[in-house]
Structure formats: C-alpha cells, structure tokens
Amino acid sequence: MLGFFVTIIVNRWTYLYQIIGFIDNIGLMVAEYVRGRSEQCRMYRRTILRYCELAQVLVFRDISMRTRRRFPTIDTVVAAGFMMPHEKDRFDEIEYKYSKYWMPFQWALALTYDARKKGIIESDFFQISVTQEIKQFRTGLAWICNYDWVPIPIMYPQLVCLAVHTYFLVCILSRQYIISEHAANKTEIDLYFPIMSVLQFIFYMGWMKVAEAMLNPFGEDDDDFETNALIDRNITMGLMIVDQGYNRPPDLGRDPFWGEEVDPLYSEETAKDSREIRMEGSVSQVKLPEGTSQIRMVSKVESVNGLINSASSSSLRKRVSIVSVKRDETRESRRSIASFDAIKNIKSKIERSVSKTRLDERSKAFSTSNLENMNENAFSSDDCEDPDVPSNIPSTPSTPTKRTMSSTNLKGHSFAHHVLENVEEDEESDDDDEKKKRTSAHTDLDGTEVLIKHSSTGMTINCRSWRKEEKRLKMMYKRKEQVNSSLDLITNHNLSDETR
C-alpha cells in the first residue's frame, strides 16, 4: 500500500513539472515567423508572448499560494505590467462564475490571424506553427488546473499514514524478546537494541514523509515549485527572444573545421583520458567467424502443423543467392583458450563440418553406371539444381540417391553460413539427331567436371568439381583431428581450473 501511494505521488509530481509551462518555444516560433522590423511588427511579437504569459499568471494565482500572495488582485497584475488597463476593461466585460483563463489565449490567436492577413506572417504554415505552440502551452496549463481541481482522495493518504503507524505500534509489542535463560528464541544481538526494527522505522517513515512533501508541489515549502521565479524567467526570456534576439544571426563564415579533419579539442586535464567511448549498438562489433568466405541467402521455409509446404520449398530452391564476405567483416580478434564459449563455437563448427563426409562417400561411389541409373528425383537435387528442366522427363526406375540438402529435408535444419557448396548450372544445346537418345552421363576422373546430359532436352549440367572437393575434404579431416586433440587438452585444463 505504501509503495502504490508513493508511486502515484511521484508520477503526479513528475508530470506536473513537465507541463508547468516554459515559454521558450513560443518565443522562438514567434520570432521566426512574425517577420518585420517596423514598430507594428515588434508590437505583434511582444504582445503575443505577453498574452501567453498573462494566462500563466492567472492560472498560478489560483493554484499557488506564493503567486496569490504576489498578485492578490487583478489590479496588481496590471500594476506588474502583465496586463494593460484597456485589456483589464475588456477582461472585466465578461462576467460569469467560471474562470477566464482562455481569454489571453484567444487574444494571442486573434493577433496571429490578423498578422497573417496583413502579411506579417508570410504563409499559413507559419501561422499554424505558431498556433500549435500556443495550443500546447494552453493544454499544459489546463492539465495543471485539472490536477489541482481533482486531488488524490484524502482517505488514501490518511489510510497509508494509519497503516504505517499501526505497523510500528504492533512491532513494539511483538518484537520483544524473552530474557529467560531457557527461552528458545533468546538472542544476544537484538536483545538490548532492536536494530532491524529501527531500520524499518527509518525507511518506511522516511518514505511516507517524502510522499507527503510531494503531495502538493504548488505549496510554500522549500521543495515546492518556485512559480514566481518561473513567471519572471518566462517574461524576461520571452521578450528577449522576440525583441532583442529577433533576426540577428551572426555573419556567415568558414568554421574552424573547414577543409580539415574534424578533431575536437579537450582541455589538458581531460585530454589525458585515453578511453575511447563510442555511441554504437551493443552488437555492432560482432563479426563473422574466421574462415567464412561466403554466405548463402535462401527464402524462409513455410510450415503448416510442422510439415513443410511443398510449394514454398520448390520456390526456395529457385531463390538462392551467395554473398561473398570481405576480409574485414570477419572476426580478427584472438579467442581466449580459457573461454568455454570459444570452445563451444569451435566444436559446433566441427560438428557441422562432419556432415560433409557424405560428399566424399558420394564422390568415390559415383561412376558412369550410377549416373545412367539416376532417376528424376536425383536429377532435381540441390547439388545440380536446374529450374528449367521439365518435371515430366521419363526416367528409368532406380533407388533414390541420398542427398545432403533438398526440399524434403529442410525441416528442422538451419543453413550453415560457414559451409557453402559451389553450385554451377550450365545449359547447353545439343544436335537434333541426339535429342531422342537416353540420358547419358560422363565423368572425367582426371579433370574437374561431372556432366549429365538429358536426351529429350539436350541439356548438359555441371554437377560438381569432384577433384577439388576431394582435396578440400581431406585437408578438412586432417585439421579436424588436430583441433580435436587441442580441444581435449584445453577442456581438461579448464575443467581442472574450475575444480580448483
């Protein structure tokens, strides 16, 4: 209950301070858009700003005791210069039981309209900009009046105060210790001085007293808002902006950094701080793992009830883009051997690279006889994907060849960015007399090409550079054995350090 009460009071106090009303924006917009150096233009600027400040004085007279003591009557407002005598006569002409805070704002808006008709404000947009600032200033003062009109119900502060005092009254009786020698809860720490109870009393009572002090920020306490100082500040700064500061920018000239590298200077004391602080995102320095040369970009697989949509998977095979990675985009910092995160990253790379062992088995088992027995499913695999081949090509029945990645095994697998395959598609036309032959395959064991030619389409597909792939896999296996042995030593060393 005490926490809710303090939260409400603090939020209320903070919001009232935000909307209390600073007239700087009105002064800047009036000085910018109400143009002219004549005496009439000057009077327009000063009068618009004075009317806005007059409305603030009228509001503060009714909600702040400090301002009420300063301006007990409207005549004192006239004597202070915030209102002219003929303006007071116009103000007194309207008599009714409600407040008349709106009248100075209406006068200010009427002046902006009159200035627009006379061409002092050059466009409708400039007039709207000035009126928007006046409207925002008026809205803040209206909310201040509403908060003063509807305060926090008096029962809530009384109930919180009663609950806190009752709690400590009960603590005085319930937290007394039994001094008997055979008492089960006898202690020597809090026996003579209740340490914990005193701390609770200081914190809870202090918390409640702070909320009571912030309950009415427009009072006369030392911690309340200085409304009179704010009025003086607004009228002085506002008239300075629209009058003496109007249309007086400095002459244009080259800045000190003209044609040179921007190198801001520091005082000799602060220049000794060698820390380099940059305003950047928390993950802006995350780089790709070392050894990453390409990234394969594919479409997202759509699944319905855990099953991959066949239409989306077919379109996925056709939309593949391989992006080359620059050297400066990879991680250059050295990993610490004592970091378990670095070890896990290395192990995950090795586990993903183990899947490449299937490629070596397929390269050794691949022959001309196997190529002749490839069926339609093997011909449309991702390793030799060709979207232009018709789906109704006749083929001899055979056992489906095991594939590393296709539309049927995309479910549950993420694309490894550091393991990429060199896929090339090549279409060639053949002579008309060979179109009706059976699908044939040719393997150049001494070269680097494996060709598949279909008789009905005359298409030749370069499926894989087998020789180059075989050499790369052999080097990968050797590196894997070396890294595994190093990882075992590192893991044992780290585990022994944690045990100690």
Side-chain angles (χ1 to χ4, degrees), residues 2-14:
L2 179 62
F4 292 153
F5 176 69
V6 174
T7 302
I8 293 174
I9 296 300
V10 172
N11 292 338
R12 181 187 181 93
W13 187 92
T14 305

Side-chain angles (χ1 to χ4, degrees), residues 257-478:
F257 307 106
W258 187 277
E260 298 179 1
E261 183 180 357
V262 178
D263 186 15
L265 299 180
Y266 291 78
S267 64
E268 186 176 0
E269 181 181 358
T270 58
K272 297 178 182 179
D273 189 1
S274 60
R275 294 178 301 171
E276 185 177 1
I277 301 176
R278 300 178 180 177
M279 296 182 64
E280 55 187 10
S282 58
V283 296
S284 60
Q285 296 298 326
V286 176
K287 304 296 183 180
L288 294 174
E290 295 180 359
T292 302
S293 60
Q294 290 179 336
I295 298 177
R296 190 173 187 178
M297 306 297 294
V298 298
S299 300
K300 186 177 180 180
V301 180
E302 298 181 359
S303 60
V304 179
N305 296 328
L307 300 177
I308 297 178
N309 189 1
S310 60
S312 62
S313 62
S314 62
S315 63
L316 175 65
R317 295 196 303 271
K318 297 180 182 180
R319 300 182 60 185
V320 177
S321 177
I322 298 178
V323 181
S324 300
V325 179
K326 298 180 181 179
R327 187 173 183 84
D328 56 353
E329 294 180 357
T330 58
R331 187 178 302 167
E332 297 179 358
S333 59
R334 182 180 177 184
R335 296 186 180 92
S336 175
I337 60 174
S339 175
F340 276 98
D341 295 335
I343 296 174
K344 292 179 181 180
N345 293 334
I346 297 174
K347 285 186 176 181
S348 62
K349 289 178 63 177
I350 295 175
E351 291 176 358
R352 289 194 295 267
S353 63
V354 170
S355 62
K356 301 292 289 184
T357 56
R358 300 179 181 178
L359 297 175
D360 186 53
E361 296 176 358
R362 292 177 58 190
S363 63
K364 294 180 180 179
F366 201 92
S367 62
T368 305
S369 59
N370 291 333
L371 286 174
E372 293 177 353
N373 294 328
M374 291 176 66
N375 60 357
E376 179 183 356
N377 295 329
F379 185 74
S380 63
S381 63
D382 290 343
D383 294 336
C384 53
E385 180 73 344
D386 192 355
D388 296 333
V389 178
S391 59
N392 56 358
I393 296 176
S395 60
T396 56
S398 60
T399 304
T401 306
K402 189 175 181 180
R403 293 169 291 174
T404 57
M405 182 177 292
S406 65
S407 61
T408 57
N409 59 3
L410 287 174
K411 176 183 177 182
H413 294 277
S414 60
F415 294 97
H417 288 180
H418 68 289
V419 179
L420 297 175
E421 299 176 357
N422 297 324
V423 181
E424 298 181 358
E425 294 181 1
D426 185 18
E427 298 181 2
E428 295 181 357
S429 61
D430 203 354
D431 298 334
D432 295 337
D433 54 348
E434 295 182 359
K435 287 185 178 180
K436 294 184 180 180
K437 293 183 180 180
R438 296 179 56 206
T439 302
S440 61
H442 173 69
T443 304
D444 189 0
L445 299 178
D446 296 332
T448 59
E449 293 184 352
V450 176
L451 303 178
I452 299 177
K453 182 182 293 184
H454 199 277
S455 61
S456 62
T457 61
M459 185 180 299
T460 302
I461 300 175
N462 185 355
C463 290
R464 189 173 304 279
S465 301
W466 296 103
R467 181 68 63 184
K468 184 178 180 180
E469 185 69 20
E470 183 178 2
K471 291 181 180 179
R472 190 178 67 83
L473 290 176
K474 288 181 180 180
M475 293 298 296
M476 185 185 298
Y477 298 149
K478 291 181 181 179

Side-chain angles (χ1 to χ4, degrees), residues 43-244:
M43 286 191 297
Y44 269 105
R45 290 191 294 268
R46 294 176 65 92
T47 307
I48 290 173
L49 189 132
R50 184 171 57 84
Y51 283 161
C52 294
E53 185 58 31
L54 173 61
Q56 188 178 44
V57 171
L58 296 178
V59 170
F60 284 174
R61 283 184 67 250
D62 293 343
I63 66 174
S64 175
M65 184 55 67
R66 290 178 177 176
T67 308
R68 191 70 180 187
R69 293 180 185 276
R70 179 181 177 181
F71 305 109
T73 61
I74 298 296
D75 293 332
T76 57
V77 177
V78 175
F82 292 94
M83 183 185 291
M84 303 293 288
H86 68 280
E87 294 170 354
K88 179 181 178 299
D89 297 337
R90 184 64 58 86
F91 186 81
D92 293 337
E93 287 178 359
I94 301 177
E95 296 181 359
Y96 70 122
K97 60 181 180 181
Y98 298 108
S99 60
K100 294 180 284 187
Y101 308 140
W102 52 269
M103 291 190 67
F105 288 114
Q106 189 183 37
W107 295 345
L109 293 175
L111 288 179
T112 59
Y113 179 77
D114 189 44
R116 175 68 186 98
K117 289 179 62 177
K118 294 180 179 180
I120 300 176
I121 298 179
E122 298 176 355
S123 69
D124 296 337
F125 175 76
F126 295 162
Q127 181 190 0
I128 293 174
S129 300
V130 176
T131 55
Q132 286 292 336
E133 292 296 334
I134 297 175
K135 186 180 72 172
Q136 185 177 0
F137 189 79
R138 190 214 69 84
T139 303
L141 294 178
W143 275 110
I144 290 177
C145 294
N146 294 339
Y147 271 87
D148 181 77
W149 180 40
V150 184
I152 294 178
I154 190 63
M155 183 60 68
Y156 196 11
Q158 291 177 352
L159 180 60
V160 171
C161 182
L162 179 62
V164 173
H165 286 81
T166 304
Y167 172 78
F168 287 107
L169 181 62
V170 173
C171 288
I172 293 176
L173 302 176
S174 63
R175 294 189 179 182
Q176 295 182 1
Y177 289 92
I178 301 174
I179 310 179
S180 175
E181 293 293 337
H182 303 286
N185 59 345
K186 182 181 179 181
T187 179
E188 296 294 338
I189 298 178
D190 292 341
L191 183 62
Y192 302 103
F193 184 78
I195 299 176
M196 298 304 298
S197 299
V198 170
L199 291 178
Q200 286 184 346
F201 180 80
I202 294 174
F203 295 150
Y204 291 168
M205 292 298 295
W207 205 7
M208 187 183 66
K209 292 299 180 181
V210 168
E212 291 178 355
M214 299 174 66
L215 186 61
N216 181 23
F218 292 99
E220 295 184 284
D221 297 336
D222 294 337
D223 298 328
D224 293 335
F225 297 154
E226 295 288 345
T227 55
N228 290 330
L230 180 61
I231 292 173
D232 297 340
R233 181 254 182 204
N234 281 347
I235 191 64
T236 304
M237 183 173 293
L239 293 178
M240 186 72 67
I241 292 173
V242 301
D243 194 2
Q244 298 183 15

